[in-house]
Short mmCIF file of all heavy atoms in Angstrom, two decimals:
data_model
loop_
_atom_site.label_atom_id
_atom_site.label_comp_id
_atom_site.label_asym_id
_atom_site.label_seq_id
_atom_site.Cartn_x
_atom_site.Cartn_y
_atom_site.Cartn_z
N ARG P 1 110.78 82.36 103.27
CA ARG P 1 109.43 82.86 103.44
C ARG P 1 109.41 84.07 104.34
O ARG P 1 110.37 84.38 105.01
CB ARG P 1 108.55 81.77 104.02
CG ARG P 1 108.01 80.85 102.93
CD ARG P 1 106.83 80.07 103.45
NE ARG P 1 105.60 80.78 103.22
CZ ARG P 1 104.72 80.44 102.32
NH1 ARG P 1 104.93 79.41 101.55
NH2 ARG P 1 103.60 81.11 102.19
N GLY P 2 108.29 84.70 104.42
CA GLY P 2 108.15 85.87 105.27
C GLY P 2 108.06 87.12 104.44
O GLY P 2 108.17 87.10 103.22
N GLY P 3 107.87 88.22 105.14
CA GLY P 3 107.73 89.51 104.47
C GLY P 3 109.06 90.19 104.24
O GLY P 3 110.12 89.70 104.64
N ARG P 4 109.00 91.35 103.64
CA ARG P 4 110.19 92.14 103.32
C ARG P 4 109.93 93.56 103.79
O ARG P 4 108.87 94.14 103.50
CB ARG P 4 110.41 92.09 101.82
CG ARG P 4 111.67 92.73 101.38
CD ARG P 4 111.89 92.42 99.89
NE ARG P 4 112.48 93.59 99.28
CZ ARG P 4 112.04 94.22 98.22
NH1 ARG P 4 110.98 93.76 97.58
NH2 ARG P 4 112.63 95.27 97.76
N VAL P 5 110.88 94.11 104.51
CA VAL P 5 110.80 95.50 104.97
C VAL P 5 112.03 96.20 104.41
O VAL P 5 113.16 95.70 104.55
CB VAL P 5 110.79 95.58 106.51
CG1 VAL P 5 110.80 97.03 106.97
CG2 VAL P 5 109.59 94.85 107.08
N PHE P 6 111.82 97.35 103.77
CA PHE P 6 112.96 98.05 103.18
C PHE P 6 112.69 99.55 103.17
O PHE P 6 111.56 99.98 103.35
CB PHE P 6 113.23 97.55 101.76
CG PHE P 6 112.07 97.75 100.82
CD1 PHE P 6 111.98 98.89 100.04
CD2 PHE P 6 111.06 96.81 100.75
CE1 PHE P 6 110.91 99.08 99.18
CE2 PHE P 6 109.98 96.99 99.89
CZ PHE P 6 109.92 98.12 99.11
N GLY P 7 113.73 100.32 102.97
CA GLY P 7 113.58 101.77 102.91
C GLY P 7 114.92 102.45 102.89
O GLY P 7 115.97 101.81 102.71
N ASP P 8 114.90 103.75 103.07
CA ASP P 8 116.11 104.56 103.06
C ASP P 8 116.15 105.41 104.32
O ASP P 8 115.13 106.00 104.71
CB ASP P 8 116.14 105.47 101.83
CG ASP P 8 116.18 104.65 100.55
OD1 ASP P 8 117.15 103.90 100.37
OD2 ASP P 8 115.24 104.75 99.76
N VAL P 9 117.32 105.48 104.94
CA VAL P 9 117.52 106.32 106.11
C VAL P 9 118.21 107.59 105.60
O VAL P 9 119.30 107.54 105.04
CB VAL P 9 118.40 105.62 107.17
CG1 VAL P 9 118.56 106.52 108.39
CG2 VAL P 9 117.80 104.28 107.56
N VAL P 10 117.51 108.74 105.77
CA VAL P 10 118.02 110.01 105.27
C VAL P 10 117.89 111.09 106.34
O VAL P 10 117.15 110.94 107.31
CB VAL P 10 117.26 110.45 103.99
CG1 VAL P 10 117.49 109.47 102.86
CG2 VAL P 10 115.79 110.62 104.26
N GLU P 11 118.60 112.18 106.14
CA GLU P 11 118.49 113.34 107.03
C GLU P 11 117.04 113.83 107.03
O GLU P 11 116.27 113.54 106.12
CB GLU P 11 119.39 114.47 106.53
CG GLU P 11 120.87 114.15 106.57
CD GLU P 11 121.47 114.28 107.96
OE1 GLU P 11 120.78 114.78 108.86
OE2 GLU P 11 122.62 113.86 108.13
N ARG P 12 116.67 114.58 108.05
CA ARG P 12 115.29 115.07 108.15
C ARG P 12 114.82 115.83 106.91
O ARG P 12 113.65 115.78 106.57
CB ARG P 12 115.14 115.98 109.37
CG ARG P 12 115.09 115.22 110.65
CD ARG P 12 114.58 116.12 111.77
NE ARG P 12 114.65 115.44 113.03
CZ ARG P 12 113.68 114.69 113.53
NH1 ARG P 12 112.56 114.53 112.86
NH2 ARG P 12 113.82 114.11 114.70
N ASP P 13 115.73 116.52 106.25
CA ASP P 13 115.33 117.25 105.04
C ASP P 13 115.12 116.31 103.85
O ASP P 13 114.71 116.74 102.78
CB ASP P 13 116.34 118.34 104.70
CG ASP P 13 117.72 117.82 104.33
OD1 ASP P 13 117.88 116.59 104.13
OD2 ASP P 13 118.65 118.64 104.25
N GLY P 14 115.40 115.01 104.06
CA GLY P 14 115.13 114.03 103.01
C GLY P 14 116.17 113.94 101.93
O GLY P 14 115.96 113.28 100.93
N ARG P 15 117.30 114.57 102.11
CA ARG P 15 118.29 114.60 101.03
C ARG P 15 119.47 113.69 101.26
O ARG P 15 119.71 112.77 100.49
CB ARG P 15 118.76 116.03 100.82
CG ARG P 15 117.64 116.91 100.33
CD ARG P 15 118.12 118.28 99.98
NE ARG P 15 116.98 119.10 99.60
CZ ARG P 15 116.88 120.36 99.86
NH1 ARG P 15 117.85 120.99 100.48
NH2 ARG P 15 115.81 121.03 99.49
N ALA P 16 120.24 113.94 102.30
CA ALA P 16 121.49 113.20 102.52
C ALA P 16 121.22 111.84 103.18
O ALA P 16 120.55 111.77 104.21
CB ALA P 16 122.44 114.02 103.38
N PRO P 17 121.76 110.76 102.60
CA PRO P 17 121.61 109.45 103.22
C PRO P 17 122.43 109.37 104.51
O PRO P 17 123.39 110.12 104.70
CB PRO P 17 122.17 108.49 102.17
CG PRO P 17 123.08 109.31 101.34
CD PRO P 17 122.54 110.71 101.37
N ILE P 18 122.04 108.46 105.39
CA ILE P 18 122.77 108.23 106.64
C ILE P 18 123.31 106.79 106.58
O ILE P 18 122.64 105.84 107.00
CB ILE P 18 121.89 108.44 107.87
CG1 ILE P 18 121.31 109.85 107.87
CG2 ILE P 18 122.68 108.18 109.15
CD1 ILE P 18 120.36 110.14 109.00
N PRO P 19 124.52 106.62 106.03
CA PRO P 19 125.09 105.28 105.94
C PRO P 19 125.42 104.74 107.33
O PRO P 19 125.75 105.50 108.24
CB PRO P 19 126.36 105.48 105.11
CG PRO P 19 126.66 106.93 105.15
CD PRO P 19 125.38 107.64 105.45
N GLY P 20 125.30 103.43 107.49
CA GLY P 20 125.65 102.79 108.75
C GLY P 20 124.61 102.90 109.84
O GLY P 20 124.84 102.44 110.96
N ALA P 21 123.45 103.49 109.57
CA ALA P 21 122.38 103.57 110.57
C ALA P 21 121.90 102.15 110.90
O ALA P 21 121.78 101.30 110.03
CB ALA P 21 121.22 104.41 110.06
N ARG P 22 121.66 101.91 112.18
CA ARG P 22 121.14 100.60 112.61
C ARG P 22 119.61 100.67 112.60
O ARG P 22 119.01 101.54 113.25
CB ARG P 22 121.64 100.26 114.00
CG ARG P 22 121.14 98.92 114.51
CD ARG P 22 121.83 98.54 115.81
NE ARG P 22 121.28 97.34 116.38
CZ ARG P 22 121.56 96.11 116.00
NH1 ARG P 22 122.41 95.92 115.01
NH2 ARG P 22 121.01 95.07 116.59
N VAL P 23 119.00 99.75 111.88
CA VAL P 23 117.54 99.68 111.76
C VAL P 23 117.08 98.39 112.44
O VAL P 23 117.53 97.30 112.09
CB VAL P 23 117.11 99.70 110.28
CG1 VAL P 23 115.59 99.63 110.18
CG2 VAL P 23 117.66 100.93 109.57
N THR P 24 116.22 98.54 113.44
CA THR P 24 115.74 97.39 114.20
C THR P 24 114.23 97.31 114.11
O THR P 24 113.54 98.32 114.26
CB THR P 24 116.15 97.51 115.69
OG1 THR P 24 117.57 97.70 115.76
CG2 THR P 24 115.76 96.28 116.47
N LEU P 25 113.72 96.14 113.88
CA LEU P 25 112.29 95.87 113.81
C LEU P 25 111.96 94.96 114.98
O LEU P 25 112.50 93.86 115.08
CB LEU P 25 111.98 95.19 112.48
CG LEU P 25 110.55 95.14 112.00
CD1 LEU P 25 109.99 96.54 111.82
CD2 LEU P 25 110.47 94.38 110.70
N GLU P 26 111.11 95.42 115.89
CA GLU P 26 110.76 94.64 117.08
C GLU P 26 109.26 94.44 117.15
O GLU P 26 108.50 95.29 116.69
CB GLU P 26 111.22 95.36 118.35
CG GLU P 26 112.70 95.50 118.47
CD GLU P 26 113.12 96.22 119.73
OE1 GLU P 26 112.25 96.81 120.41
OE2 GLU P 26 114.31 96.21 120.04
N GLY P 27 108.86 93.35 117.75
CA GLY P 27 107.44 93.12 117.95
C GLY P 27 107.11 91.70 118.30
O GLY P 27 108.00 90.87 118.48
N LEU P 28 105.83 91.43 118.38
CA LEU P 28 105.33 90.10 118.73
C LEU P 28 104.80 89.40 117.49
O LEU P 28 104.21 90.04 116.61
CB LEU P 28 104.22 90.20 119.77
CG LEU P 28 104.61 90.84 121.09
CD1 LEU P 28 103.37 91.03 121.96
CD2 LEU P 28 105.65 90.01 121.81
N VAL P 29 105.01 88.10 117.44
CA VAL P 29 104.49 87.31 116.32
C VAL P 29 103.64 86.18 116.86
O VAL P 29 103.49 86.02 118.07
CB VAL P 29 105.63 86.73 115.43
CG1 VAL P 29 106.40 87.83 114.77
CG2 VAL P 29 106.54 85.83 116.23
N ALA P 30 103.15 85.39 115.96
CA ALA P 30 102.28 84.25 116.29
C ALA P 30 101.06 84.76 117.06
O ALA P 30 100.38 85.65 116.59
CB ALA P 30 103.03 83.18 117.07
N ARG P 31 100.82 84.24 118.23
CA ARG P 31 99.66 84.66 119.02
C ARG P 31 100.07 85.71 120.04
O ARG P 31 99.46 85.83 121.10
CB ARG P 31 99.06 83.45 119.71
CG ARG P 31 98.49 82.47 118.73
CD ARG P 31 97.85 81.30 119.44
NE ARG P 31 97.39 80.35 118.46
CZ ARG P 31 98.03 79.24 118.16
NH1 ARG P 31 99.16 78.93 118.74
NH2 ARG P 31 97.53 78.43 117.25
N GLY P 32 101.14 86.45 119.76
CA GLY P 32 101.60 87.48 120.68
C GLY P 32 102.48 86.95 121.78
O GLY P 32 102.76 87.65 122.74
N ASP P 33 102.95 85.71 121.64
CA ASP P 33 103.74 85.13 122.71
C ASP P 33 105.22 84.99 122.37
O ASP P 33 105.99 84.47 123.15
CB ASP P 33 103.18 83.77 123.11
CG ASP P 33 103.07 82.81 121.93
OD1 ASP P 33 103.39 83.22 120.81
OD2 ASP P 33 102.66 81.66 122.15
N LEU P 34 105.66 85.47 121.21
CA LEU P 34 107.05 85.35 120.81
C LEU P 34 107.57 86.71 120.38
O LEU P 34 107.11 87.28 119.40
CB LEU P 34 107.19 84.34 119.66
CG LEU P 34 108.59 84.17 119.07
CD1 LEU P 34 109.53 83.62 120.15
CD2 LEU P 34 108.54 83.24 117.89
N MET P 35 108.52 87.25 121.13
CA MET P 35 109.13 88.54 120.81
C MET P 35 110.23 88.32 119.79
O MET P 35 111.05 87.41 119.94
CB MET P 35 109.70 89.16 122.08
CG MET P 35 110.34 90.50 121.85
SD MET P 35 109.07 91.69 121.41
CE MET P 35 109.91 93.19 121.76
N VAL P 36 110.24 89.13 118.73
CA VAL P 36 111.29 89.02 117.72
C VAL P 36 112.02 90.35 117.60
O VAL P 36 111.48 91.41 117.92
CB VAL P 36 110.73 88.61 116.34
CG1 VAL P 36 110.16 87.21 116.38
CG2 VAL P 36 109.71 89.59 115.85
N ASP P 37 113.23 90.26 117.14
CA ASP P 37 114.09 91.43 116.98
C ASP P 37 114.93 91.19 115.74
O ASP P 37 115.83 90.36 115.75
CB ASP P 37 114.96 91.57 118.23
CG ASP P 37 115.89 92.77 118.18
OD1 ASP P 37 116.07 93.35 117.10
OD2 ASP P 37 116.46 93.09 119.22
N ASP P 38 114.59 91.85 114.64
CA ASP P 38 115.36 91.77 113.41
C ASP P 38 116.11 93.08 113.26
O ASP P 38 115.54 94.15 113.50
CB ASP P 38 114.43 91.58 112.20
CG ASP P 38 113.71 90.25 112.21
OD1 ASP P 38 114.40 89.22 112.29
OD2 ASP P 38 112.47 90.25 112.15
N ALA P 39 117.37 93.02 112.86
CA ALA P 39 118.15 94.25 112.72
C ALA P 39 119.06 94.16 111.50
O ALA P 39 119.46 93.08 111.08
CB ALA P 39 118.97 94.51 113.98
N THR P 40 119.37 95.33 110.96
CA THR P 40 120.29 95.43 109.84
C THR P 40 120.93 96.81 109.87
O THR P 40 120.53 97.67 110.65
CB THR P 40 119.55 95.19 108.50
OG1 THR P 40 120.52 95.05 107.45
CG2 THR P 40 118.59 96.32 108.17
N MET P 41 121.91 97.01 109.03
CA MET P 41 122.59 98.31 108.91
C MET P 41 122.30 98.89 107.53
O MET P 41 122.27 98.16 106.53
CB MET P 41 124.10 98.14 109.07
CG MET P 41 124.52 97.54 110.40
SD MET P 41 124.22 98.61 111.79
CE MET P 41 125.63 99.63 111.73
N ALA P 42 122.11 100.20 107.49
CA ALA P 42 121.92 100.87 106.20
C ALA P 42 123.25 100.86 105.44
O ALA P 42 124.32 100.99 106.04
CB ALA P 42 121.46 102.31 106.42
N ASP P 43 123.17 100.71 104.14
CA ASP P 43 124.38 100.67 103.32
C ASP P 43 124.92 102.08 103.07
O ASP P 43 124.45 103.06 103.67
CB ASP P 43 124.13 99.93 102.00
CG ASP P 43 123.15 100.63 101.06
OD1 ASP P 43 122.86 101.84 101.25
OD2 ASP P 43 122.67 99.96 100.12
N ALA P 44 125.89 102.21 102.19
CA ALA P 44 126.54 103.50 101.92
C ALA P 44 125.58 104.54 101.36
O ALA P 44 125.86 105.74 101.43
CB ALA P 44 127.70 103.30 100.94
N HIS P 45 124.45 104.10 100.83
CA HIS P 45 123.44 105.01 100.27
C HIS P 45 122.26 105.20 101.22
O HIS P 45 121.25 105.79 100.84
CB HIS P 45 122.95 104.48 98.93
CG HIS P 45 124.06 104.22 97.97
ND1 HIS P 45 124.76 105.23 97.34
CD2 HIS P 45 124.64 103.07 97.57
CE1 HIS P 45 125.70 104.71 96.58
NE2 HIS P 45 125.65 103.40 96.70
N GLY P 46 122.36 104.65 102.45
CA GLY P 46 121.29 104.78 103.43
C GLY P 46 120.17 103.75 103.26
O GLY P 46 119.20 103.77 104.00
N HIS P 47 120.31 102.83 102.30
CA HIS P 47 119.27 101.84 102.02
C HIS P 47 119.39 100.67 102.99
O HIS P 47 120.49 100.23 103.31
CB HIS P 47 119.35 101.35 100.59
CG HIS P 47 118.24 100.43 100.22
ND1 HIS P 47 116.96 100.88 99.96
CD2 HIS P 47 118.19 99.09 100.11
CE1 HIS P 47 116.19 99.84 99.68
NE2 HIS P 47 116.91 98.74 99.77
N PHE P 48 118.24 100.15 103.42
CA PHE P 48 118.22 98.94 104.25
C PHE P 48 117.14 98.00 103.74
O PHE P 48 116.19 98.43 103.08
CB PHE P 48 117.99 99.26 105.73
CG PHE P 48 116.59 99.70 106.04
CD1 PHE P 48 115.62 98.78 106.41
CD2 PHE P 48 116.23 101.03 105.96
CE1 PHE P 48 114.32 99.18 106.69
CE2 PHE P 48 114.94 101.45 106.24
CZ PHE P 48 113.98 100.51 106.61
N GLU P 49 117.31 96.73 104.04
CA GLU P 49 116.32 95.73 103.65
C GLU P 49 116.42 94.54 104.60
O GLU P 49 117.50 94.11 104.97
CB GLU P 49 116.58 95.26 102.22
CG GLU P 49 115.55 94.29 101.72
CD GLU P 49 115.67 94.01 100.24
OE1 GLU P 49 116.22 94.84 99.50
OE2 GLU P 49 115.20 92.94 99.83
N MET P 50 115.25 94.03 104.99
CA MET P 50 115.15 92.82 105.81
C MET P 50 114.20 91.88 105.10
O MET P 50 113.11 92.28 104.72
CB MET P 50 114.60 93.14 107.20
CG MET P 50 115.51 93.96 108.05
SD MET P 50 114.75 94.26 109.65
CE MET P 50 115.15 95.98 109.85
N SER P 51 114.62 90.64 104.93
CA SER P 51 113.79 89.62 104.28
C SER P 51 113.45 88.53 105.28
O SER P 51 114.15 88.36 106.28
CB SER P 51 114.53 89.02 103.09
OG SER P 51 114.79 90.01 102.14
N GLY P 52 112.41 87.79 105.00
CA GLY P 52 112.02 86.68 105.85
C GLY P 52 111.42 87.13 107.17
O GLY P 52 111.47 86.41 108.17
N VAL P 53 110.82 88.31 107.18
CA VAL P 53 110.26 88.87 108.41
C VAL P 53 108.89 88.22 108.68
O VAL P 53 108.02 88.22 107.81
CB VAL P 53 110.11 90.40 108.30
CG1 VAL P 53 109.47 90.98 109.54
CG2 VAL P 53 111.46 91.05 108.03
N ALA P 54 108.73 87.68 109.88
CA ALA P 54 107.47 87.02 110.24
C ALA P 54 106.34 88.03 110.37
O ALA P 54 106.57 89.20 110.70
CB ALA P 54 107.64 86.27 111.56
N ALA P 55 105.12 87.57 110.12
CA ALA P 55 103.94 88.43 110.25
C ALA P 55 103.73 88.83 111.70
O ALA P 55 104.12 88.11 112.62
CB ALA P 55 102.71 87.67 109.75
N GLY P 56 103.13 89.98 111.92
CA GLY P 56 102.82 90.44 113.27
C GLY P 56 102.97 91.94 113.42
O GLY P 56 103.44 92.62 112.51
N ALA P 57 102.59 92.46 114.58
CA ALA P 57 102.69 93.90 114.86
C ALA P 57 104.15 94.24 115.13
O ALA P 57 104.85 93.49 115.82
CB ALA P 57 101.83 94.26 116.06
N ARG P 58 104.61 95.36 114.60
CA ARG P 58 106.02 95.73 114.72
C ARG P 58 106.21 97.21 115.06
O ARG P 58 105.37 98.04 114.75
CB ARG P 58 106.74 95.51 113.40
CG ARG P 58 106.86 94.09 112.96
CD ARG P 58 107.84 93.38 113.89
NE ARG P 58 108.32 92.16 113.31
CZ ARG P 58 107.60 91.07 113.18
NH1 ARG P 58 106.35 91.07 113.56
NH2 ARG P 58 108.10 89.99 112.66
N SER P 59 107.37 97.49 115.64
CA SER P 59 107.86 98.86 115.83
C SER P 59 109.21 98.93 115.15
O SER P 59 110.00 97.98 115.20
CB SER P 59 108.01 99.20 117.31
OG SER P 59 106.76 99.21 117.95
N LEU P 60 109.50 100.06 114.54
CA LEU P 60 110.75 100.27 113.83
C LEU P 60 111.58 101.30 114.58
O LEU P 60 111.07 102.35 114.95
CB LEU P 60 110.45 100.77 112.41
CG LEU P 60 111.62 100.93 111.48
CD1 LEU P 60 112.12 99.56 111.04
CD2 LEU P 60 111.21 101.73 110.26
N PHE P 61 112.84 100.98 114.83
CA PHE P 61 113.76 101.87 115.51
C PHE P 61 114.97 102.11 114.62
O PHE P 61 115.50 101.17 114.04
CB PHE P 61 114.22 101.26 116.84
CG PHE P 61 113.09 100.97 117.79
CD1 PHE P 61 112.49 99.73 117.81
CD2 PHE P 61 112.62 101.95 118.64
CE1 PHE P 61 111.44 99.46 118.67
CE2 PHE P 61 111.57 101.70 119.51
CZ PHE P 61 110.98 100.44 119.52
N VAL P 62 115.39 103.37 114.54
CA VAL P 62 116.57 103.72 113.74
C VAL P 62 117.51 104.54 114.61
O VAL P 62 117.08 105.49 115.28
CB VAL P 62 116.17 104.54 112.49
CG1 VAL P 62 117.40 104.88 111.67
CG2 VAL P 62 115.16 103.79 111.65
N ALA P 63 118.79 104.17 114.61
CA ALA P 63 119.79 104.90 115.38
C ALA P 63 121.07 105.03 114.57
O ALA P 63 121.44 104.11 113.84
CB ALA P 63 120.07 104.17 116.69
N ALA P 64 121.71 106.18 114.69
CA ALA P 64 122.98 106.41 114.01
C ALA P 64 123.79 107.42 114.81
O ALA P 64 123.22 108.33 115.43
CB ALA P 64 122.75 106.95 112.59
N ASP P 65 125.10 107.24 114.84
CA ASP P 65 125.97 108.18 115.54
C ASP P 65 125.74 109.60 115.03
O ASP P 65 125.63 109.83 113.83
CB ASP P 65 127.43 107.80 115.33
CG ASP P 65 127.82 106.51 116.05
OD1 ASP P 65 127.07 106.11 116.98
OD2 ASP P 65 128.84 105.92 115.69
N GLY P 66 125.64 110.53 115.97
CA GLY P 66 125.47 111.93 115.60
C GLY P 66 124.05 112.33 115.25
O GLY P 66 123.81 113.45 114.81
N HIS P 67 123.07 111.41 115.43
CA HIS P 67 121.67 111.69 115.10
C HIS P 67 120.78 111.24 116.25
O HIS P 67 121.11 110.31 116.98
CB HIS P 67 121.26 110.94 113.83
CG HIS P 67 121.99 111.38 112.62
ND1 HIS P 67 123.24 110.90 112.29
CD2 HIS P 67 121.68 112.29 111.68
CE1 HIS P 67 123.65 111.48 111.18
NE2 HIS P 67 122.72 112.33 110.79
N GLU P 68 119.64 111.88 116.38
CA GLU P 68 118.66 111.46 117.39
C GLU P 68 118.02 110.15 116.94
O GLU P 68 117.68 110.00 115.77
CB GLU P 68 117.55 112.50 117.52
CG GLU P 68 117.91 113.68 118.38
CD GLU P 68 116.69 114.55 118.64
OE1 GLU P 68 115.61 114.00 118.97
OE2 GLU P 68 116.84 115.77 118.51
N PRO P 69 117.84 109.21 117.87
CA PRO P 69 117.15 107.96 117.50
C PRO P 69 115.71 108.27 117.07
O PRO P 69 115.12 109.24 117.51
CB PRO P 69 117.16 107.14 118.79
CG PRO P 69 118.17 107.78 119.67
CD PRO P 69 118.26 109.22 119.26
N LEU P 70 115.18 107.42 116.24
CA LEU P 70 113.83 107.59 115.71
C LEU P 70 113.09 106.27 115.87
O LEU P 70 113.64 105.20 115.65
CB LEU P 70 113.91 107.97 114.23
CG LEU P 70 112.59 108.13 113.49
CD1 LEU P 70 111.84 109.35 114.00
CD2 LEU P 70 112.85 108.27 112.01
N SER P 71 111.83 106.36 116.27
CA SER P 71 111.01 105.15 116.35
C SER P 71 109.66 105.42 115.71
O SER P 71 109.21 106.56 115.64
CB SER P 71 110.83 104.70 117.80
OG SER P 71 110.12 105.67 118.53
N GLY P 72 109.05 104.37 115.25
CA GLY P 72 107.74 104.49 114.61
C GLY P 72 107.04 103.16 114.64
O GLY P 72 107.62 102.13 114.98
N HIS P 73 105.80 103.17 114.25
CA HIS P 73 104.99 101.96 114.24
C HIS P 73 104.42 101.78 112.84
O HIS P 73 103.35 102.30 112.54
CB HIS P 73 103.87 102.06 115.28
CG HIS P 73 104.39 102.31 116.66
ND1 HIS P 73 104.91 101.30 117.42
CD2 HIS P 73 104.51 103.45 117.37
CE1 HIS P 73 105.31 101.81 118.58
NE2 HIS P 73 105.08 103.10 118.57
N PRO P 74 105.17 101.06 111.98
CA PRO P 74 104.66 100.87 110.63
C PRO P 74 103.40 100.03 110.55
O PRO P 74 102.74 100.00 109.54
CB PRO P 74 105.82 100.19 109.91
CG PRO P 74 106.61 99.54 110.98
CD PRO P 74 106.43 100.39 112.22
N GLY P 75 103.07 99.35 111.66
CA GLY P 75 101.82 98.60 111.67
C GLY P 75 102.02 97.11 111.72
O GLY P 75 103.06 96.61 112.12
N ARG P 76 101.01 96.43 111.29
CA ARG P 76 101.03 94.96 111.32
C ARG P 76 101.46 94.46 109.96
O ARG P 76 100.90 94.83 108.93
CB ARG P 76 99.63 94.45 111.65
CG ARG P 76 99.53 92.95 111.70
CD ARG P 76 98.21 92.50 112.26
NE ARG P 76 98.08 92.82 113.67
CZ ARG P 76 98.60 92.07 114.66
NH1 ARG P 76 99.30 91.00 114.37
NH2 ARG P 76 98.42 92.42 115.91
N LEU P 77 102.48 93.60 109.98
CA LEU P 77 102.93 92.99 108.74
C LEU P 77 102.03 91.80 108.42
O LEU P 77 101.83 90.93 109.27
CB LEU P 77 104.39 92.53 108.88
CG LEU P 77 105.37 93.65 109.17
CD1 LEU P 77 106.76 93.07 109.41
CD2 LEU P 77 105.40 94.65 108.05
N PRO P 78 101.46 91.75 107.23
CA PRO P 78 100.54 90.67 106.90
C PRO P 78 101.27 89.33 106.71
O PRO P 78 102.47 89.32 106.45
CB PRO P 78 99.93 91.13 105.58
CG PRO P 78 100.95 92.02 104.99
CD PRO P 78 101.64 92.69 106.14
N ARG P 79 100.52 88.27 106.85
CA ARG P 79 101.08 86.95 106.58
C ARG P 79 101.29 86.84 105.08
O ARG P 79 100.45 87.28 104.30
CB ARG P 79 100.13 85.85 107.04
CG ARG P 79 99.98 85.80 108.52
CD ARG P 79 99.29 84.51 108.95
NE ARG P 79 99.12 84.49 110.37
CZ ARG P 79 100.06 84.13 111.24
NH1 ARG P 79 101.23 83.78 110.79
NH2 ARG P 79 99.85 84.13 112.53
N PRO P 80 102.41 86.22 104.66
CA PRO P 80 102.62 86.04 103.23
C PRO P 80 101.60 85.05 102.65
O PRO P 80 101.12 84.17 103.38
CB PRO P 80 104.04 85.48 103.11
CG PRO P 80 104.45 85.12 104.49
CD PRO P 80 103.51 85.75 105.47
N PRO P 81 101.28 85.21 101.37
CA PRO P 81 100.29 84.31 100.75
C PRO P 81 100.78 82.88 100.68
O PRO P 81 101.90 82.57 100.74
CB PRO P 81 100.09 84.89 99.36
CG PRO P 81 101.19 85.86 99.13
CD PRO P 81 101.80 86.16 100.46
#
């Protein structure tokens, strides 16, 4: 159960994939009292996917050797039906 977060890690120009980038999803779940940290690595094509992600507000962090780290706030993940 849970949600699914997926995407592609690419160079700023949007063309070249960044294989091996670490993608971390952090945030609070439930009533805001449980901190979670889900992480995965981008594959050879820069693709990443996380399954079974609990509902709640999240921040996404991406880091890779030779690149500036990137963070963003994709928002609140809805509860699965």
Side-chain angles (χ1 to χ4, degrees):
R1 276 198 90 107
R4 186 171 143 233
V5 176
F6 60 93
D8 297 299
V9 181
V10 296
E11 296 281 350
R12 284 195 186 271
D13 65 11
R15 295 186 184 145
I18 302 177
R22 180 172 174 80
V23 180
T24 306
L25 196 61
E26 295 180 348
L28 300 173
V29 296
R31 295 182 184 102
D33 56 358
L34 176 63
M35 181 68 161
V36 294
D37 180 347
D38 294 305
T40 190
M41 301 292 278
D43 67 15
H45 305 287
H47 185 76
F48 72 91
E49 184 170 336
M50 292 180 223
S51 298
V53 178
R58 294 290 198 288
S59 294
L60 185 72
F61 301 93
V62 180
D65 290 342
H67 296 84
E68 279 189 46
L70 178 68
S71 64
H73 303 281
R76 180 170 292 278
L77 299 175
R79 293 193 181 278

